[in-house]
Amino acid sequence: MAPSRRLVIAILAAGLPLAACKLVKNEPPQVASATASGSVATSFDNPAFDPEKTVEEIWQPKLLPYLKAKAGPFAEVRALAPDEAGKRFGYRAVDSMPWTVAATIEGRITAADTGTRAATIEVDTDGDGTADLTVQIGPVFKGTPLRDSIDFISFNSFANQIEYAKFGKALNAHIYNATLAALPRDKLVGRNVTLLGVFTLDDPKAKPLVTPAELSLEAAP
């Protein structure tokens, strides 16, 4: 066989393995699974985790007693510097986070924004006619202060961030379903309200945005 013909055959033979192979990106199993399903979250989703059941199990025997023992009168909590208020009436998981504090609150409802799913009421606690705090009454809530206020359940109590987030949302949903959904939303202004609530000291000068753990209205006149 002529040298030039042998050279052509050798080149073609060397190229056969590359032509028959397909290069595949090497990804971790959870990422590959998530890519196939179209969602990274899906690969971490545990159908056996029931956040509503978890909340039901802790609400009455643990969460409410904990908050009642931790809470201070609203005026006293607000009068303190954030670190002092946090150490006495609150909790934070790490030093870089703002404190979430618990307070007992009594006052008169001066306004109600119920035309949105993120409904709120404004409460005057000192009788001067000006609202001192805003209370979330849902069903949509900003943040997860109920979750962030407790020290007996932490991020490490859950398998991943998704379960931790679902737990926070389930706490908000529980107080809405148990209490807030039944509020007479067109008859709130002017009525006295009593609540046990939590709020974050992320801006000590701002009017607190309170998420209730308990709430009761005075009887309608």
Side-chain angles (χ1 to χ4, degrees), residues 117-119 136-146 169 171-173 175-176 180 210-212:
R117 285 177 56 79
Q136 302 194 87
I137 59 172
V140 174
F141 295 82
K142 180 180 179 180
T144 54
L146 284 171
K169 290 181 179 179
L171 286 167
N172 292 343
I175 185 59
Y176 176 77
L180 304 177
V210 177
T211 301

Side-chain angles (χ1 to χ4, degrees), residues 34-215:
T35 302
S37 65
S39 171
V40 172
T42 302
S43 67
F44 294 101
D45 205 11
N46 175 14
F49 174 63
D50 186 342
E52 290 78 15
K53 181 179 179 181
T54 301
V55 170
E56 283 283 352
E57 290 174 346
I58 68 166
W59 191 270
Q60 289 291 342
K62 291 186 177 181
L63 187 140
L64 288 182
Y66 169 84
L67 290 179
K68 289 176 180 179
K70 179 75 72 172
F74 177 75
E76 185 176 349
V77 175
R78 288 290 284 168
L80 299 175
D83 279 344
E84 187 177 356
K87 290 173 183 177
R88 289 184 59 185
F89 305 115
Y91 173 72
R92 61 181 177 184
V94 294
D95 290 345
S96 60
M97 295 175 60
W99 293 98
T100 301
V101 294
T104 54
I105 299 163
E106 295 182 20
R108 182 174 291 271
I109 300 172
T110 61
D113 182 4
T114 57
T116 169
R117 285 177 56 79
T120 59
I121 55 175
E122 302 292 317
V123 179
D124 170 24
T125 62
D126 56 13
D128 66 355
T130 301
D132 301 296
L133 62 131
T134 302
V135 181
Q136 302 194 87
I137 59 172
V140 174
F141 295 82
K142 180 180 179 180
T144 54
L146 284 171
R147 182 196 69 186
D148 300 337
S149 68
I150 54 179
D151 63 6
F152 56 87
I153 292 184
S154 69
F155 174 79
N156 293 329
S157 303
F158 300 88
N160 51 57
Q161 180 68 38
I162 294 171
E163 289 189 3
Y164 191 50
K166 287 183 176 180
F167 172 67
K169 290 181 179 179
L171 286 167
N172 292 343
H174 182 90
I175 185 59
Y176 176 77
N177 294 329
T179 302
L180 304 177
L183 292 177
R185 300 197 168 216
D186 58 341
K187 299 177 181 179
L188 292 171
V189 177
R191 295 175 69 172
N192 291 330
V193 62
T194 301
L195 64 135
L196 169 67
V198 296
F199 57 95
T200 302
L201 297 177
D202 49 356
D203 183 356
K205 296 181 180 179
K207 185 166 59 177
L209 180 63
V210 177
T211 301
E214 287 185 328
L215 184 148

